[in-house]
Amino acid sequence: MSSNPSPSSTPRSDGCTLAGALSVASAVADGVTIVHGPSGCSHHHVSLLLTSLLDRPGARLPVLLSDDLGEREVIFGGEDALALALDEAVARSPGSIAVLPTCVSEAIGDDCAAVAERVRSVPVVVVPVGGFLGGGFYEGERAALAAYAELSARLPAPDTGEGPVIALVGEKNLEYEADCHAAEIGRLLGLLDLGVGLRFVREAPTASFGLLPRADLLVLREPGMGGIADCFPVRPRTPRIHGFPVGLSGTLAFLERCGAALGRDAAGAVEDEAGHQEAVLARFGGLAGARVSLSGAPRWAVELADALGMVVSPAGVPVPVPEPAPVGTAGVARLLARWGRSL
Amino acid sequence: MKQIALYGKGGIGKSTTSANLSAALGESGRSVLQVGCDPKHDSTRMLMHAEPLPTVLDQVRERGAPNVALEDVVRTGYAGVRCVEAGGPEPGIGCAGRGIIATFQLLEERGALEADVIVYDVLGDVVCGGFAMPMREGYAEEVYLVSSGELMSLYAANNIAKAIARLAERPRCRCRLAGVILNAKGMEREEELVRAFADAIGSRLVAAIPRDRVVQLAELHRQTVIEYAPGSAQAAVYRRLADDVLANTDLSIPRPLTQDELESLAIEYTTF
Ligand SMILES: Nc1ncnc2c1ncn2[C@@H]1O[C@H](COP(=O)(O)OP(=O)(O)OP(=O)(O)O)[C@@H](O)[C@H]1O
Ligand code: SF4
Ligand SMILES: [Mg+2]
């Protein structure tokens, strides 16, 4: 792990499944999230959420409720406490309500789905997580995406007008620069006269999820998300791109794949973007000839160093290669600025 | 002060035996506290003449633990035996084991766990850490396994012996096996079998309680046998058990049997 204390190298995905599920549920713009467990569970994760919101001044504060299970509920069951919290959530007239169980409620076997079924006026998504039971952050995140995907099949499709629907799937909501990544993808799609139709799930209202079953292209945040996309209620053979674009050639390939998936000629867009990349590299021309160490770094990083005329050698100065990688050409530019600072 | 606990398979006769034991001890002038550690809260029913006893956990639920006083949950029954029921959640919801832990904490904090003899009547099997808590935390210092000669009953007793053996490895754990009580089903060679089982696990048979209709008759009259039929042979058996329990200093760390050993033992004493 990097010892660089910059915000982008602070780990934010080491929590339990609740933390992962919460990172998704709290990003539903008109949602209310109930953490079905001791108030301490919410406390830890809310601190983390708030920390990540500091990167986005003026961002919406998510509505989180804890039903505050205590010893009494552990002994007698927490379903009544959940029912009360659901009443409170419904009273706020949200677009949807997420119920996130915790280790405590799972250990005593509360039937959250049965309690949630009693709510008719607002869609309720019970995310099947159980704190540290059944995995960690990533499993929680994926369980939440799958649960919202299931909900999407029950929602009416919003009117989108002309053009294909492109859905970004599984943006990492606690990731520093998450919005920069989405903006970069928006810019790249713009080169093809396309745009992002659905952010699943980041700052999107519940009704917009109705677009998911109609999606023409799924752009997955990372390759490992193919598994959950398999259970999305999309049309058979809906094309997918497995991972946001990374590195110089990776970004150009992304444009080609999008074009191919949607039957558009991407040659012009690729040419424009290659020109843009040249301009970016030219801005960092001063890095040419610098000796850098990139041991164990992925191919895109080595490609980038080569393109700049840097000398890659174990004796060189180590430069940061963040994981997850910066997205698109804009990500490359930000990374080169960091490299410049460390040389 | 003696703190004893009766563990054994569900329905084997723990509550009946506990209540008669407590009644006999009470009659002999000892101060006795019987604690029912079972959400069914039927341990002290005969001692209380079926008068409903507010359970500790119901009181905790209604008023919150800080507001529960001993008078709310401890009642005096037959022969001066003080009775407490832990209670617990409805079947299939919540965590009864945690309820037992909360009950002990409350009784301990209120200074209720004082008597010449405390009898803990613990639910069927040790289903989770919560039900092992009386053993683990030094409340149940002397554990009696109640069993019949039926294989499943011995199997449950053997499992509890395993729990005791495991707990006894902990340096500060005072829990020991005090003996096996046969509550007979009336099978052939039943006493021989249960005695052999007790020996095999490194303990001994402390009492053989026959199956007797008077137990049900007493139950129908909402009384212990000690009270309902004081002159009966069955009452005499329970009194003898009380004397033996008081005198018993023969505590051991059991050597539980393997499944195969247990089955072979049962086969040895079965007439086909
Ligand atoms: N020695 C006996 N002779 C005849 N009947 C008996 C005898 N011992 C117990 N019983 C009967 O067996 C039934 C079950 O006994 P009891 O309730 O004491 O068992 P238990 O082990 O406490 O059960 P649980 O695990 O459900 O708490 C009772 O109806 C009781 O009357
Ligand atoms: S691990 Fe369990 S107790 Fe801890 S925060 Fe997660 S859900 Fe809550
Ligand atoms: Mg009982």
Side-chain angles (χ1 to χ4, degrees):
Chain A
M1 192 190 294
S2 161
S3 58
N4 185 336
S6 81
S8 58
S9 58
T10 307
R12 290 176 174 181
S13 52
D14 291 346
C16 62
T17 56
L18 171 65
L22 200 52
S23 77
V24 173
S26 63
V28 178
D30 56 355
V32 169
T33 305
I34 298 173
V35 175
H36 178 46
S39 55
C41 294
S42 323
H43 171 79
H44 289 306
H45 302 311
V46 164
S47 315
L48 179 61
L49 279 180
L50 292 182
T51 309
S52 67
L53 286 177
L54 292 178
D55 307 337
R56 293 191 280 147
R60 175 190 65 90
L61 277 181
V63 184
L64 300 178
L65 305 176
S66 165
D67 58 8
D68 191 17
L69 300 189
E71 173 120 39
R72 186 189 312 216
E73 288 75 25
V74 170
I75 297 170
F76 293 102
E79 295 178 12
D80 293 346
L82 176 58
L84 282 178
L86 278 165
D87 289 345
E88 197 180 326
V90 168
R92 291 165 183 257
S93 315
S96 60
I97 299 170
V99 173
L100 310 185
T102 57
C103 337
V104 171
S105 65
E106 283 302 283
I108 63 175
D110 281 346
D111 189 346
C112 297
V115 181
E117 260 167 35
R118 286 183 233 140
V119 177
R120 301 252 171 247
S121 52
V122 180
V124 181
V125 174
V126 179
V127 182
V129 289
F132 68 85
L133 304 166
F137 187 93
Y138 290 113
E139 285 74 16
E141 188 182 55
R142 275 148 215 220
L145 289 172
Y148 279 104
E150 205 177 301
L151 169 68
S152 74
R154 290 184 271 135
L155 298 173
D159 189 15
T160 52
E162 298 295 294
V165 175
I166 301 176
L168 300 191
V169 173
E171 285 180 72
K172 305 244 157 245
N173 290 321
L174 301 186
E175 190 173 72
Y176 183 71
E177 298 182 337
D179 285 323
C180 301
H181 299 336
E184 173 68 350
I185 296 202
R187 183 186 69 80
L188 292 168
L189 292 175
L191 300 176
L192 293 161
D193 268 337
L194 297 166
V196 174
L198 168 64
R199 296 178 74 180
F200 188 77
V201 172
R202 185 170 174 87
E203 290 311 311
T206 306
S208 70
F209 302 159
L211 281 174
L212 185 68
R214 286 204 33 214
D216 299 288
L217 172 63
L218 302 178
V219 180
L220 310 182
R221 173 66 188 92
E222 56 193 9
M225 283 179 168
I228 47 156
D230 285 344
C231 59
F232 281 8
V234 291
R235 288 181 297 245
R237 286 187 294 283
T238 300
R240 301 173 190 174
I241 292 178
H242 292 265
F244 283 10
V246 169
L248 297 171
S249 59
T251 299
L252 300 181
F254 173 80
L255 286 170
E256 271 160 9
R257 282 196 205 111
C258 288
L262 297 169
R264 305 210 168 184
D265 180 8
V270 170
E271 195 176 315
D272 289 352
E273 187 59 13
H276 175 52
Q277 290 182 349
E278 289 298 328
V280 167
L281 293 177
R283 259 203 284 146
F284 292 93
L287 295 176
R291 295 176 79 82
V292 290
S293 138
L294 283 174
S295 63
R299 231 169 9 148
W300 64 262
V302 179
E303 175 200 61
L304 180 57
D306 286 346
L308 270 167
M310 300 171 102
V311 182
V312 179
S313 125
V317 179
V319 285
V321 179
E323 172 56 44
V327 169
T329 306
V332 164
R334 284 196 305 279
L335 180 65
L336 289 179
R338 279 181 75 186
W339 283 10
R341 285 196 297 275
S342 41
L343 286 169
Chain B
M1 181 166 78
K2 258 186 182 298
Q3 303 204 71
I4 70 167
L6 280 75
Y7 277 87
K9 181 180 176 294
I12 198 61
K14 299 176 295 293
S15 299
T16 307
T17 309
S18 302
N20 279 289
L21 173 62
S22 292
L25 289 165
E27 273 191 344
S28 74
R30 264 54 176 214
S31 69
V32 182
L33 173 70
Q34 178 160 327
V35 184
C37 306
D38 182 334
K40 284 199 306 302
H41 60 86
D42 61 353
S43 170
T44 60
R45 196 178 135 84
M46 300 306 134
L47 290 165
M48 293 302 304
H49 301 142
E51 179 201 322
L53 187 60
T55 72
V56 174
L57 292 173
D58 273 347
Q59 294 297 301
V60 167
R61 170 147 68 169
E62 278 162 31
R63 313 164 175 222
N67 305 317
V68 179
L70 277 189
E71 305 82 83
D72 301 327
V73 292
V74 184
R75 296 284 153 87
T76 304
Y78 177 71
V81 174
R82 286 181 302 137
C83 300
V84 180
E85 291 284 352
E90 297 294 313
I93 182 163
C95 175
R98 182 66 209 173
I100 298 297
I101 295 173
T103 299
F104 274 77
Q105 280 170 351
L106 188 140
L107 293 175
E108 173 96 68
E109 276 166 25
R110 308 283 190 287
L113 300 177
E114 284 297 332
D116 292 333
V117 184
I118 305 182
V119 178
Y120 300 106
D121 170 16
V122 192
L123 148 159
D125 299 329
V126 182
V127 289
C128 72
F131 289 94
M133 192 265 192
M135 295 197 267
R136 196 176 59 222
E137 300 296 320
Y139 296 108
E141 295 175 331
E142 305 177 17
V143 172
Y144 288 91
L145 303 177
V146 183
S147 183
S148 71
E150 286 172 322
L151 182 62
M152 289 322 287
S153 167
L154 289 169
Y155 178 77
N158 193 50
N159 272 343
I160 297 155
K162 274 186 204 161
I164 300 171
R166 198 167 46 238
L167 290 169
E169 287 172 7
R170 303 185 184 180
R172 277 177 294 113
C173 182
R174 293 193 303 270
C175 172
R176 295 291 181 269
L177 180 58
V180 179
I181 297 171
L182 163 64
N183 195 34
K185 283 274 148 97
M187 302 156 60
E188 262 179 74
R189 302 184 71 192
E190 192 172 18
E191 185 172 336
E192 277 177 81
L193 167 59
V194 177
R195 189 184 300 280
F197 168 75
D199 291 343
I201 63 172
S203 184
R204 68 192 179 92
L205 186 69
V206 288
I209 303 171
R211 183 158 194 90
D212 193 321
R213 212 172 81 85
V214 74
V215 173
Q216 269 96 50
L217 289 177
E219 209 169 78
L220 286 172
H221 287 85
R222 304 168 163 190
Q223 290 173 10
T224 56
V225 175
I226 298 288
E227 182 180 10
Y228 173 75
S232 64
Q234 191 77 0
V237 173
Y238 290 125
R239 288 200 192 96
R240 217 165 31 244
L241 171 64
D243 292 340
D244 288 343
V245 163
L246 283 175
N248 190 3
T249 51
D250 189 2
L251 306 178
S252 63
I253 297 176
R255 277 178 280 105
L257 304 185
T258 64
Q259 181 73 16
D260 282 350
E261 287 169 339
L262 188 64
E263 282 169 10
S264 321
L265 192 74
I267 287 171
E268 201 181 320
Y269 290 89
T270 304
T271 27
F272 292 97

